[in-house]
Amino acid sequence: MPHINELILLARPVQETDSLIIEAPEGTRRLAATAFKGETGAQGLQGERGLTGLQGVQGLTGDQGPPGTASGIREIATVTTGIIANLNWETGTFSMANSFEILQVVLSSAARIRLYNSAANRDADVGRSVFQAPTQGMGLILDINAVTVLSQTLDPHAHGSNMEAVPSDTIYYTVTNNGAPAAITVAFTFLRKEH
């Protein structure tokens, strides 16, 4: 009987249909090839999961936008003078807003109304004739000479601001009377642009 090492090697993997015959004095024995088939190997371990990348740095905050209008609601500010003789004037102040946009001016009687951004600019321009052009950069916001039309809708609107060292809602005016002696009331319809 051949030794097991003398058996012919198969040129392929052992299959379940193969068999091994062993002859012994007791007789011939046939063993199924599966008896020699190796067990299935254990499944390999799963690889480790890679590390999560770091989160990027947060971007910088953008610049703050410019302030919008304070309310967008139309308001009315009024000036009432003492009694002024014909062609005489009165200077003074009244409260409106630090910055504003004037839409309409209504006078109670014929008069000239001028608004300025500072007391110094108002006083420097007080004697200027209605027929004389203002000096550029003198802080004049508005100059209306109403003789017959007492309600003036402004187009374009008049924009102005208090330009004193410490801004406030104080606005500086000169009112010149164009008729019989009277106390003159001027009403300004405006939008507040800055408190």
Side-chain angles (χ1 to χ4, degrees), residues 19-104:
S19 60
L20 175 65
I21 299 173
I22 299 177
E23 293 181 0
E26 306 88 40
T28 302
R29 299 181 184 228
R30 185 183 297 271
L31 301 174
T34 53
F36 300 95
K37 186 175 181 181
E39 296 180 4
T40 302
Q43 182 175 355
L45 298 175
Q46 183 174 354
E48 293 184 5
R49 183 174 181 178
L51 298 175
T52 303
L54 298 175
Q55 182 173 355
V57 179
Q58 182 174 353
L60 299 174
T61 302
D63 295 334
Q64 182 175 353
T69 59
S71 66
I73 299 172
R74 295 181 182 189
E75 301 178 55
I76 296 177
T78 59
V79 170
T80 300
T81 69
I83 296 175
I84 305 173
N86 184 34
L87 302 181
N88 284 356
W89 60 77
E90 174 185 295
T91 61
T93 63
F94 69 104
S95 295
M96 186 181 290
N98 289 28
S99 293
F100 51 85
E101 178 180 350
I102 300 175
L103 312 178
Q104 185 180 45

Side-chain angles (χ1 to χ4, degrees), residues 50-165:
L51 298 175
T52 303
L54 298 175
Q55 182 173 355
V57 179
Q58 182 174 353
L60 299 174
T61 302
D63 295 334
Q64 182 175 353
T69 59
S71 66
I73 299 172
R74 295 181 182 189
E75 301 178 55
I76 296 177
T78 59
V79 170
T80 300
T81 69
I83 296 175
I84 305 173
N86 184 34
L87 302 181
N88 284 356
W89 60 77
E90 174 185 295
T91 61
T93 63
F94 69 104
S95 295
M96 186 181 290
N98 289 28
S99 293
F100 51 85
E101 178 180 350
I102 300 175
L103 312 178
Q104 185 180 45
V105 179
V106 178
L107 297 92
S108 61
S109 60
R112 179 187 182 193
I113 175 70
R114 290 176 280 173
L115 299 183
Y116 299 87
N117 64 10
S118 71
N121 285 331
R122 174 201 61 198
D123 296 344
D125 192 50
V126 70
R128 180 175 56 84
S129 164
V130 71
F131 303 107
Q132 180 183 353
T135 303
Q136 186 174 5
M138 66 181 303
L140 179 66
I141 297 169
L142 178 77
D143 188 346
I144 293 176
N145 189 46
V147 178
T148 56
V149 181
L150 303 182
S151 178
Q152 305 268 340
T153 299
L154 307 185
D155 189 12
H157 301 158
H159 294 260
S161 300
N162 176 298
M163 295 302 292
E164 299 285 15

